[in-house]
Amino acid sequence: MNDIEVRNATVFLGGREILHNISWEVPAGGRYFILGANGAGKTTLVKMLMGYAWPIYGAELNVAGNSYGNGCNLVELRKTIALVSPFLQQYLNMETTVLDVVISAFDGTLDLFRPAREEEEAQAMDILEKLRAGHLAHQKIYTLSSGEQVKVLIARALLTKPRLVIMDEPSVYLDISGREFLLDSIRALGEVRPDLTMLFITQRIEDILPEFDHGMILKNGRVLTSGKREDVLSEKNLSEAFELPIKLIKGANGRLWSIVE
């Protein structure tokens, strides 16, 4: 069974073709990465999966057992998809507390417009503590660093026990230590929730954990290559994707690091 199935998807935004004839699938419980330079179409792909951007007629799009365009309730579907993206920060009410932002996941919003229930607060605090962010619970969002705000969004995403989690460049604002903590959290999440389908989107090769064993490289809105991790993340493919002479170094932990010769 697949949690994501895309067939012949072409997306236009503002009269310009952003994605061209994308076909791709991810099995339930899969660990899949999407890599590409700025402008490759990664964010538009996320918008399409969330139902915020639509492919032209003739495409097929199925997410978490729902076929888009056939009576699919997108509001309910989005409650089963956890989106973790630093770009959500622009929609946060900076006067809201961390705890209320996390609890808002139950309502599918980014702010809480009602009193929180005691059991909701307990669940939110439990996740914040696991992410080493419990001490932030009663602080207002505007007092947090960008990295801390990302941690809050991760806690929010995990609160409703989603079927699919989409991580859209989650480490883009983090320093080295913050990034490594985030990646450790993602690894631990995969161990705790082997049933969870995880999609990791990035422009940084070194951020792709070995656990993400399949993936795809986008270039100019098209699939440059897709398949098993070891086949996709080759020096040839990466050099073509970023238009640079890239060489790879493999660390003892299985992650790949790039240098430009």
Side-chain angles (χ1 to χ4, degrees):
M1 180 179 177
N2 293 324
D3 264 352
I4 298 174
E5 292 181 349
V6 180
R7 298 283 181 270
N8 308 314
T10 296
V11 176
F12 284 81
L13 293 177
R16 184 167 66 93
E17 185 182 83
I18 308 298
L19 295 176
H20 178 79
N21 198 32
I22 302 292
S23 292
W24 151 69
E25 60 185 38
V26 179
R31 306 287 189 262
Y32 207 100
F33 67 84
I34 297 176
L35 178 69
N38 285 334
K42 304 186 299 297
T43 298
T44 299
L45 184 64
V46 173
K47 289 179 179 178
M48 183 178 71
L49 294 177
M50 297 295 294
Y52 296 123
W54 288 84
I56 62 176
Y57 180 79
E60 294 180 22
L61 180 57
N62 297 282
V63 177
N66 294 267
S67 180
Y68 286 19
N70 291 323
C72 171
N73 186 327
L74 287 174
V75 174
E76 290 303 313
L77 173 61
R78 288 172 187 146
K79 292 180 181 179
T80 70
I81 304 173
L83 176 61
V84 177
S85 171
F87 308 113
L88 286 176
Q89 290 165 283
Q90 62 185 305
Y91 302 113
L92 293 175
N93 177 355
M94 291 295 158
E95 292 292 332
T96 302
T97 66
V98 166
L99 197 60
D100 281 353
V101 169
V102 175
I103 293 171
S104 73
F106 287 117
D107 299 339
T109 61
L110 282 172
D111 200 350
L112 194 63
F113 302 100
R114 58 172 177 81
R117 292 186 286 272
E118 187 175 336
E119 62 271 21
E120 292 175 333
E121 291 186 349
Q123 291 178 58
M125 280 301 304
D126 181 60
I127 290 178
L128 285 168
E129 291 289 353
K130 288 177 179 176
L131 292 173
R132 302 179 198 170
H135 62 288
L136 302 175
H138 300 291
Q139 291 191 33
K140 293 188 176 182
I141 292 296
Y142 78 87
T143 68
L144 274 55
S145 69
S146 295
E148 289 171 333
Q149 289 178 21
V150 171
K151 289 181 184 179
V152 173
L153 291 174
I154 292 171
R156 178 187 176 277
L158 299 181
L159 187 64
T160 55
K161 298 181 180 179
R163 174 171 171 174
L164 166 66
V165 59
I166 301 174
M167 293 167 280
D168 184 14
E169 302 200 48
S171 64
V172 68
Y173 294 138
L174 302 182
D175 59 20
I176 294 175
S177 60
R179 178 190 66 186
E180 294 305 311
F181 174 75
L182 170 65
L183 295 178
D184 282 344
S185 299
I186 291 172
R187 183 184 293 108
L189 172 63
E191 293 173 354
V192 172
R193 288 283 311 274
D195 61 307
L196 183 65
T197 303
M198 300 175 70
L199 190 60
F200 188 84
I201 298 158
T202 186
Q203 57 182 309
R204 298 175 179 173
I205 300 161
E206 63 271 18
D207 283 2
I208 304 173
L209 294 169
E211 286 79 359
F212 289 87
D213 54 7
H214 284 73
M216 173 169 66
I217 297 179
L218 290 178
K219 183 179 181 181
N220 298 326
R222 299 168 184 257
V223 178
L224 177 65
T225 185
S226 66
K228 294 182 178 179
R229 173 191 177 90
E230 58 267 28
D231 297 327
V232 172
L233 296 179
S234 69
E235 293 177 345
K236 177 180 179 296
N237 290 336
L238 295 170
S239 296
E240 184 175 351
F242 292 95
E243 298 182 353
L244 290 169
I246 291 177
K247 295 295 181 183
L248 293 174
I249 300 173
K250 188 173 184 178
N253 58 8
R255 284 164 63 188
L256 296 173
W257 303 80
S258 62
I259 59 173
V260 178
E261 291 195 336

